[in-house]
Amino acid sequence: MSRLPAAAMPMSYLHTVGPAADPVTRLGWGLGLISVAVVVIITTLLLGAVLRKRDAAGQGNEVARDGGGLRWIYIGVGISSVVLAACAIWTLLTLTAVAHPATKPAFTVRVTGLQWWWRMRYENGDAGQVFTTANELHIPVGQPVRLELESGDVIHSFWVPQLGGKTDTIPGQTNVSWFQADRPGVYRGQCAEYCGEQHAHMALQVVAEPPAAFQAWWQAQLAAAVPAPAAGPAAVGAALVQARCSACHTVRGTEAGGIVGPDLTHLASRRTIAGGTLPNDGPHLADWIAHSQRIKPGTKMPEFAFSAGDLAAVVAYLTTLR
Ligand code: HEC
Ligand SMILES: [Cu+2]
């Protein structure tokens, strides 16, 4: 069972790509450099003072006698105060800059943290334009997206380091945030608040696409699931999914309407499954259905002891759900 190579999805807050994150990165570097400069200057002055005092030894302490020491203390406190005040002002300006997007967000996604995956509900004012997916957010490049963050169980924290800071998801509360990706790409995110056994397997991906590609994705997600074929393995699989999986999973356009697990209507369009734990392909789907408790011990997805034929049929059906 191969895990996803970490290098496939960079996750670095030093390489940010949007206006909700860039000012914070600049501030971080700025405060870091100022701190280094302060250490270097203080060390130099201190060494200078020690060496000078040694030279002056034996000739009486001039500095103490003419009161010059006190003057230097005033100058030192003055310089420190100005530098600290400048840092505080820069920090406040940065917080203001990332608090709200410059333009109206394109749409809102309601992200729910759950043990141990992310439900993502795209809202668009119009009830007919709402759909739900899991662990993979698609956004148009260069446009701010509003996020409503909530939890279905314990406290989680939503964090996509290249796009913005962390925001907790707290039961009974909705936290509002936003982000924007200025370059197309796939940005990895991760739950950043310990939330139980499989906290480490609660990742997500943000796929930033040119607006046309995003629109195509959006339209495809709005559609109901591809109907199951009338015969063959996928038809057998569709019946098994109705019988065994529909209590927890939704496949829009069928009778499966469960909401305990991820919406499977367009499962095959996603890159990964189970909170970024496995690549989304036939062998890994089969592995997940048969051994979910071995792959993610404690997950609410039970294991199924299907015959080899039935397992292959279920997977055949799931891979049609483009
Ligand atoms: C008791 C509820 C329950 C049942 C029954 C159930 N699942 Fe799940 N399923 C879940 C939960 C919860 C998750 C999310 C687990 C995680 O990522 O930790 C999940 C995740 C999945 C995923 C990964 C989806 C994604 O986008 O990450 C697939 C595929 C899946 N289930 C298929 C099935 C199939 C096929 C069946 C029936 C044979 C089934 N499930 C039955 C609860 C259930
Ligand atoms: Cu979590």
Side-chain angles (χ1 to χ4, degrees):
M1 173 178 57
S2 64
R3 299 279 154 124
L4 289 176
M9 282 179 285
M11 187 169 124
S12 165
Y13 55 80
L14 294 177
H15 300 103
T16 51
V17 290
D22 292 342
V24 182
T25 310
R26 278 196 294 275
L27 177 72
W29 280 112
L31 294 184
L33 290 175
I34 290 171
S35 309
V36 169
V38 166
V39 170
V40 168
I41 292 169
I42 297 292
T43 309
T44 311
L45 288 177
L46 201 65
L47 284 176
V50 168
L51 294 176
R52 213 179 114 205
K53 191 146 183 200
R54 220 181 258 160
D55 287 349
Q59 299 158 27
N61 193 337
E62 306 292 326
V63 176
R65 212 182 300 144
D66 66 8
L70 209 54
R71 191 181 65 214
W72 281 108
I73 289 175
Y74 288 136
I75 293 176
V77 170
I79 294 177
S80 308
S81 306
V82 169
V83 171
L84 284 176
C87 290
I89 292 170
W90 190 6
T91 304
L92 290 174
L93 289 176
T94 301
L95 287 178
T96 316
V98 300
H100 302 286
T103 53
K104 199 172 162 297
F107 52 84
T108 294
V109 187
R110 181 166 276 258
V111 178
T112 308
L114 292 150
Q115 285 173 320
W116 290 279
W117 59 285
W118 302 93
R119 177 183 293 131
M120 289 148 172
R121 205 174 112 104
Y122 280 71
E123 323 251 350
N124 195 16
D126 177 351
Q129 298 270 297
V130 173
F131 62 85
T132 302
T133 179
N135 305 319
E136 187 175 307
L137 257 171
H138 285 240
I139 62 172
V141 166
Q143 292 179 33
V145 171
R146 187 170 171 276
L147 300 166
E148 287 182 1
L149 299 160
E150 56 182 31
S151 167
D153 38 49
V154 301
I155 299 177
H156 305 268
S157 186
F158 182 85
W159 191 33
V160 185
Q162 288 182 275
L163 300 181
K166 301 168 188 170
T167 307
D168 278 3
T169 70
I170 298 170
Q173 179 175 323
T174 302
N175 286 339
V176 176
S177 180
W178 69 284
F179 58 32
Q180 172 177 331
D182 284 342
R183 254 187 288 133
V186 182
Y187 305 103
R188 187 179 157 91
Q190 170 70 42
C191 178
E193 176 86 47
Y194 181 73
C195 58
E197 227 180 328
Q198 295 301 324
H199 163 67
H201 286 144
M202 188 171 165
L204 68 134
Q205 294 176 54
V206 177
V207 182
E209 301 170 308
F214 170 76
Q215 275 307 326
W217 176 85
W218 176 291
Q219 290 305 331
Q221 297 290 315
L222 277 176
V226 175
V236 176
L240 285 168
V241 167
Q242 289 303 325
R244 307 294 302 277
C245 324
S246 58
C248 294
H249 291 288
T250 293
V251 182
R252 257 184 303 128
T254 76
E255 272 160 29
I259 55 165
V260 177
D263 188 309
L264 301 181
T265 308
H266 297 291
L267 170 72
S269 73
R270 302 203 273 271
R271 287 147 196 261
T272 66
I273 55 169
T277 308
L278 299 174
N280 185 5
D281 55 32
H284 287 97
L285 280 170
D287 207 9
W288 172 249
I289 294 163
H291 306 296
S292 55
Q293 295 300 326
R294 201 152 82 203
I295 293 164
K296 234 172 143 173
T299 175
K300 294 196 179 73
M301 161 89 183
E303 291 185 349
F304 290 85
F306 284 125
S307 69
D310 282 356
L311 184 58
V314 168
V315 171
Y317 173 61
L318 292 180
T319 48
T320 67
L321 298 175
R322 286 254 128 232

